[in-house]
């Protein structure tokens, strides 16, 4: 490791100069082992294209290829990248993570790099460009929310799968739909997106959004006609490169609204998946995609009606079983189908309790999978006593008030459960 205070040496951020660059060379300032992660090294370069995890956005992905001592010396003298490196024949080291602290960028890699040596870096531009699309789309969305409703963006997260924004006020479904339409209008207009560092004097005259107080140089990202915001991340040059923005979900969150979006290729893949699912459902239902909601609603009504009929039939059958019980039997227990409605079970138990002086229980399920149960009792009895007896021999969960308990039992046969009821007085 180089013996110097690396925290005093700011890393040159090449991604600020050109967000579309994919390859670069740099010198290794330092390399040290990561103490709590075996086989991982923390590398500082004098300059980098790798955007770190910052501002709610995930870091860039890519590789670093080290130069040999001879290649480093030749590069220092002639400034020529070795053919073996440029052709991708060098020993590529995957960059697993990129972090930033006090403007020093740390690359986490699996191989040690020699201090003062020269390295070649290549970022995964597909990943970079996707993040650029998402982040630029978010700026337009948040700018419109701020200008139309006065709400601030108080939270932002851009992962490799989704983008979420938290706003300080509540948005209705109709308002979110309108914002989505406005964002896509901005995309169709192909407006310019400009990133720059204004002087302190210029900054004082700029009305820009920011989630926190900023010190030092402030980088401004301006979407022509739609947004001005402080931001450290790479962005596309024009809004048309975003392609499309789709809101995929939203919910009330901490008194405001959390919105999830996708842009560009991610949005296309999402919509393609949704379309494939709709087409599959349409095929299963023998209808067109636009008619699916009507058919599903109708089927739900039919299912609800069938459930009511089944529940009524189940209650009639249980009451018939109850009518067959001998009058002199004090404790009774019945068994019902595993899909029985608990409300039906409870009503029949209440009926039995009103007619009997002892414990009355109904078990619904089967011996292989276990039973659920509801047990009731009259005045002077505690239904928990039955559970206590059952627990002596079987795996039982549940409980409740003396008048009625409910729970589940495993490893018991119908005959064994009946024996417990017969022996309890």
């Amino acid at each position: 490791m180089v013996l110097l205070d690396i925290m005093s040496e700011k890393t040159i951020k090449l991604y600020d100069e050109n967000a579309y660059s994919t390859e670069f060379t740099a010198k290794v300032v330092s390399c040290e082992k990561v103490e709590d992660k075996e086989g991982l090294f923390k590398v500082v370069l004098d300059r980098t294209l790798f955007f770190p995890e910052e501002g709610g956005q995930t870091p860039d992905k890519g590789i670093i290829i080290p130069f040999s001592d001879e290649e480093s010396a030749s590069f220092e003298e002639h400034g020529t990248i070795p053919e073996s490196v440029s052709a991708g024949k060098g020993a590529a080291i995957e960059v697993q993570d990129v972090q930033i602290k006090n403007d020093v960028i740390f690359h986490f890699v699996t191989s040690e790099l020699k201090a003062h040596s020269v390295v070649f870096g290549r970022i995964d531009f597909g990943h970079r460009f996707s993040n650029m699309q998402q982040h630029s789309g978010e700026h337009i969305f948040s700018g419109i929310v701020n200008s139309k409703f006065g709400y601030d963006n108080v939270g932002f997260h851009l992962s490799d799968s989704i983008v979420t924004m938290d706003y300080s006020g509540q948005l209705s479904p109709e308002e979110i739909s309108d914002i989505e339409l406005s964002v896509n209008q901005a995309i169709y207009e192909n407006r310019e997106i400009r990133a720059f560092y204004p002087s302190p004097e210029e900054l004082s005259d700029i009305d820009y959004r920011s989630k926190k107080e900023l010190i030092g140089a402030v980088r401004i990202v301006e979407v022509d006609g739609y947004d001005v915001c402080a931001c450290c991340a790479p962005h596309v040059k024009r809004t048309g490169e975003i392609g499309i923005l789709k809101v995929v979900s939203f919910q009330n969150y901490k008194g405001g609204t959390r919105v999830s979006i996708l842009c560009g290729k991610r949005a296309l893949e999402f919509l393609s998946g949704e379309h494939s699912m709709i087409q599959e459902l349409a095929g299963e239902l023998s209808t067109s995609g636009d008619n699916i909601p009507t058919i599903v609603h109708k089927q739900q009504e039919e299912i609800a009606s069938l459930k009511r009929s089944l529940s009524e039939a189940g209650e009639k059958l249980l009451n018939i079983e109850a009518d067959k019980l001998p009058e002199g039997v004090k404790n009774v227990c019945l068994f019902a189908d595993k899909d029985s409605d608990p409300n039906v079970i409870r009503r029949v138990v209440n009926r039995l309790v009103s007619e009997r002086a002892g414990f009355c229980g109904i078990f619904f399920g089967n011996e292989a999978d276990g039973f659920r149960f509801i047990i009731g009792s009259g005045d002077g009895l505690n239904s928990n006593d039955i559970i206590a007896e059952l627990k002596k021999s079987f795996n039982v969960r549940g409980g409740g008030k003396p008048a009625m308990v409910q729970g589940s039992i495993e490893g018991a046969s119908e005959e064994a459960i009946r024996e417990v009821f017969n022996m309890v007085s």
Side-chain angles (χ1 to χ4, degrees):
M1 183 178 69
V2 179
L3 297 178
L4 59 90
D5 180 10
I6 63 170
M7 300 309 288
S8 65
E9 300 291 330
K10 295 182 179 180
T11 307
I12 297 173
K13 302 172 182 177
L14 297 175
Y15 52 82
D16 267 357
E17 300 172 13
N18 187 351
Y20 293 78
S21 292
T22 60
E23 299 177 348
F24 69 102
T25 57
K27 283 187 177 180
V28 177
V29 176
S30 69
C31 178
E32 59 181 272
K33 289 183 177 180
V34 179
E35 294 182 0
D36 58 343
K37 294 185 178 179
E38 186 176 352
L40 202 62
F41 297 85
K42 183 168 63 174
V43 176
V44 175
L45 306 176
D46 64 341
R47 59 187 201 154
T48 187
L49 269 177
F50 283 91
F51 179 76
E53 183 178 15
E54 188 177 18
Q57 179 172 319
T58 56
D60 279 332
K61 298 177 180 180
I63 59 170
I64 289 176
I65 301 176
F67 287 21
S68 66
D69 291 342
E70 294 77 13
E71 290 170 337
S72 291
S74 176
F75 179 80
E76 291 282 1
E77 182 177 355
H78 304 292
T80 304
I81 299 174
E83 184 178 346
S84 61
V85 173
S86 60
K89 297 178 181 178
I93 302 169
E94 181 184 358
V95 177
Q96 296 193 346
D97 191 17
V98 189
Q99 297 292 322
I100 187 170
K101 184 178 181 180
N102 297 333
D103 280 332
V104 176
I105 296 176
F106 300 92
H107 308 72
F108 291 82
V109 299
T110 54
S111 296
E112 187 172 8
L113 296 174
K114 185 182 295 185
H116 302 300
S117 66
V118 180
V119 297
F120 171 83
R122 179 185 291 120
I123 66 164
D124 178 346
F125 187 71
H127 179 265
R128 158 73 70 80
F129 187 69
S130 178
N131 278 357
M132 288 162 62
Q133 289 180 309
Q134 314 310 311
H135 208 144
S136 297
E138 176 273 322
H139 271 233
I140 302 173
F141 196 101
S142 295
I144 292 173
V145 169
N146 185 258
S147 63
K148 280 192 173 183
F149 304 99
Y151 300 154
D152 294 322
N153 181 337
V154 294
F156 170 68
H157 178 67
L158 196 173
S159 73
D160 293 343
S161 58
I162 197 69
V163 184
T164 60
M165 303 94 73
D166 297 331
Y167 296 108
S168 58
Q170 293 192 356
L171 297 166
S172 69
E174 294 76 18
E175 289 168 340
I176 289 175
S177 179
D178 182 61
I179 296 165
E180 180 185 70
L181 186 62
S182 297
V183 173
N184 282 289
Q185 179 61 41
I187 292 172
Y188 307 151
E189 292 170 0
N190 200 25
R191 297 295 187 97
E192 180 185 10
I193 299 179
R194 185 168 70 104
F196 61 100
Y197 285 93
S199 67
E201 294 75 21
E202 291 171 327
L203 186 65
S204 64
D205 293 329
I206 298 175
D207 183 17
Y208 64 94
R209 295 187 301 108
S210 178
K211 288 190 282 291
K212 61 181 181 179
E213 291 293 326
L214 302 173
I215 58 174
V218 176
R219 183 171 180 267
I220 295 295
V221 174
E222 179 183 25
V223 183
D224 178 33
Y226 285 93
D227 187 46
V228 181
C229 182
C231 182
C232 59
H235 287 265
V236 297
K237 290 181 179 179
R238 304 195 73 87
T239 60
E241 296 177 69
I242 299 169
I244 186 174
L245 178 144
K246 180 60 188 167
V247 175
V248 296
S249 67
F250 57 91
Q251 60 181 321
N252 292 337
Y253 182 75
K254 294 184 177 179
T257 307
R258 168 166 287 183
V259 181
S260 297
I261 64 168
L262 290 174
C263 295
K265 185 180 178 183
R266 292 193 198 179
L268 176 62
E269 290 172 345
F270 171 80
L271 291 172
S272 295
E274 296 283 290
H275 180 70
S276 296
M277 180 176 63
I278 290 171
Q279 290 299 100
E280 184 177 349
L281 285 172
E284 291 289 334
L285 297 170
S286 300
T287 188
S288 60
D290 58 352
N291 201 37
I292 289 176
T294 300
I295 289 182
V296 170
H297 181 68
K298 182 179 179 181
Q299 288 185 343
Q300 286 177 331
E301 290 180 337
E302 291 174 352
I303 290 170
S305 177
L306 288 171
K307 283 184 175 180
R308 286 192 296 270
S309 298
L310 186 62
S311 178
E312 291 169 0
E315 186 166 3
K316 287 179 181 178
L317 286 173
L318 276 175
N319 279 315
I320 290 172
E321 290 296 315
D323 291 337
K324 292 179 181 178
L325 292 170
E327 292 184 7
V329 177
K330 184 177 180 182
N331 299 331
V332 298
C333 109
L334 299 176
F335 289 85
D337 185 79
K338 66 182 181 69
D339 295 321
S340 297
D341 184 348
N343 292 318
V344 167
I345 302 296
R346 189 172 290 104
R347 285 198 294 270
V348 178
V349 168
N350 282 330
R351 176 207 160 176
L352 289 169
V353 168
S354 70
E355 298 173 352
R356 307 277 168 165
F359 298 102
C360 303
I362 297 179
F363 292 74
F364 48 116
N366 56 58
E367 295 181 0
D369 300 323
F371 296 94
R372 294 162 63 194
F373 61 79
I374 296 177
I375 302 171
S377 60
D379 292 341
L381 296 177
N382 187 341
S383 299
N384 286 289
D385 292 343
I386 284 281
I387 291 183
E389 288 298 323
L390 290 169
K391 282 183 176 179
K392 291 179 180 179
S393 304
F394 311 110
N395 181 16
V396 179
R397 294 181 180 179
K401 296 180 179 180
M404 182 169 286
V405 296
Q406 61 184 23
S408 62
I409 181 170
E410 295 177 349
S413 66
E414 291 187 16
E415 182 180 358
I417 293 172
R418 284 196 176 96
E419 286 179 2
V420 173
F421 270 77
N422 291 335
M423 60 179 262
V424 174
S425 60

